[in-house]
Amino acid sequence: MDLISEVIRTVRVGTAGGRLIGQSGPSGIRFPAFSGTGFHIVLRGTCWLITEDQPPAALAPGDVVLTSSGAEHGMHRVPCSFADLPPAVLGPTPPPPGPYDFEFLCGGYSLDHGRAPQYLRTLPDLIVVSPDYDSHPEMRALIDLLGTEAGQTRMGSGATLAALLDLILIRVLRLWHDQQDTAGWPTADDPAIAAALRAIHTQPHRPWTIQRLSEQAGMPRTAFTRRFTTVVGQPPMRYLTGWRLSHGARLLRETKAPMSTIARQVGYSSEFAFSTAFRREYGVPPGRFRHTPSKISETTPEHADNR
């Protein structure tokens, strides 16, 4: 079972956004924590990634910073204390022509109602990847396209932006995964667990129990529960609930199906049961979630020029 693909399907529930940011001056910039996942790509100049509990990390052009589950962080042209960074300044327009001390692209999915997928929450809060662009020329092409589309309002820009974010996130996660040992990322290479995940993903409407899932895996219940929790990062029934609700969230955003139909498709016996579980997970009833998508464009800074 391809868990990276499942990550992408889950974050698509959020609103995609992208911005070019130019930064100059002595103050730096601080990004608050948010519900979702995103990344920065350094385009020009050098800077430092600043966090509250880790030493500053030097960044060079081409480096990618993945905020796997929306942790707060900052960037500055020199090492500094996180407490000294001012909050990001909002701006309604693209940054004016430079030069800047450094420039970077921001992209991500805001999940105002819900959290980043469990897989991303098992990763370090902030991950720095330095792609080999000679070996991965497609990465450079995607970044160039994202730079062109970010902040645009032309026809089709929203769909193009979301597709580019998907592709860049996939490649960043692959690159990071390739640099780690397998203990650092929850995989489903285990055939038994892959079989159970496939059953959950393709048939969320079925009345699954631990017993039925362990039969799909061909394992005793206790051994299955222990192995599933180790591989995936949470117990089977908790994972099942999360998958059903995230699948329901996608159906709410992507279809006009009645709530009762969606409830049945994701394994709930009634609209009321689905609504109760959904509100517990996302903090809002499904009807409001369907009609009030998050607005990442209103909360993402476009430039901060403190020269």
Side-chain angles (χ1 to χ4, degrees):
M1 180 60 60
D2 183 355
L3 296 187
I4 290 181
S5 294
E6 299 307 328
V7 166
I8 298 302
R9 292 189 184 100
T10 301
V11 298
R12 281 178 185 156
V13 172
T15 298
R19 286 291 182 269
L20 175 66
I21 297 180
Q23 176 67 34
S24 291
S27 299
I29 188 169
R30 183 176 81 239
F31 297 92
F34 73 102
S35 296
T37 187
F39 54 81
H40 306 306
I41 304 171
V42 181
L43 299 179
R44 282 172 286 277
T46 58
C47 55
W48 294 76
L49 175 64
I50 311 296
T51 62
E52 192 168 20
D53 55 0
Q54 296 292 329
L59 301 174
D63 286 349
V64 182
V65 178
L66 174 67
T67 55
S68 54
S69 52
E72 63 178 355
H73 60 285
M75 300 176 77
H76 202 334
R77 61 186 177 86
V78 295
C80 70
S81 168
F82 182 77
D84 294 336
L85 293 173
V89 178
L90 302 181
T93 59
Y100 295 98
D101 290 336
F102 60 94
E103 292 180 74
F104 57 100
L105 275 170
C106 287
Y109 285 95
S110 175
L111 300 164
D112 287 350
H113 305 301
R115 299 181 297 168
Q118 171 69 24
Y119 315 120
L120 295 181
R121 286 184 274 125
T122 65
L123 302 183
D125 289 337
L126 295 157
I127 293 169
V128 177
V129 174
S130 300
D132 180 347
Y133 290 98
D134 290 333
S135 300
H136 301 281
E138 76 284 353
M139 189 70 174
R140 175 62 67 191
L142 290 171
I143 292 170
D144 290 343
L145 284 171
L146 179 60
T148 300
E149 291 293 330
Q152 296 290 332
T153 57
R154 296 178 298 177
M155 291 179 61
S157 291
T160 302
L161 181 65
L164 290 171
L165 294 183
D166 287 355
L167 292 169
I168 291 174
L169 279 172
I170 288 168
R171 279 156 178 78
V172 171
L173 289 169
R174 283 178 181 170
L175 289 170
W176 184 82
H177 181 258
D178 290 344
Q179 295 169 7
Q180 311 301 308
D181 60 40
T182 55
W185 171 262
T187 68
D189 296 333
D190 184 315
I193 302 307
L197 286 170
R198 189 177 302 109
I200 291 172
H201 292 174
T202 59
Q203 303 177 79
H205 61 280
R206 290 191 59 184
W208 293 113
T209 62
I210 291 291
Q211 180 61 40
R212 288 171 177 162
L213 288 172
S214 65
E215 290 171 356
Q216 290 287 322
M219 299 175 62
R221 289 179 51 179
T222 301
F224 166 73
T225 301
R226 182 167 54 247
R227 189 185 299 181
F228 189 102
T229 303
T230 298
V231 169
V232 178
Q234 56 185 311
M237 300 311 289
R238 186 184 303 170
Y239 179 88
L240 172 64
T241 298
W243 173 255
R244 282 173 165 168
L245 294 174
S246 65
H247 184 46
R250 290 200 303 275
L251 293 174
L252 288 168
R253 287 280 171 83
E254 296 172 3
T255 76
K256 296 182 179 180
M259 207 81 66
S260 57
T261 300
I262 293 175
R264 290 193 300 272
Q265 288 178 341
V266 298
Y268 286 88
S269 59
S270 68
E271 182 178 337
F272 176 78
F274 171 65
S275 180
T276 299
F278 191 94
R279 184 165 191 163
R280 186 183 304 119
E281 177 72 12
Y282 286 88
V284 294
R288 186 184 302 173
F289 178 88
R290 166 174 265 174
H291 297 296
T292 56
S294 56
K295 300 293 186 182
I296 193 171
S297 60
E298 297 176 359
T299 58
T300 303
E302 295 186 354
H303 74 278
D305 184 0
N306 300 315
R307 289 174 289 180

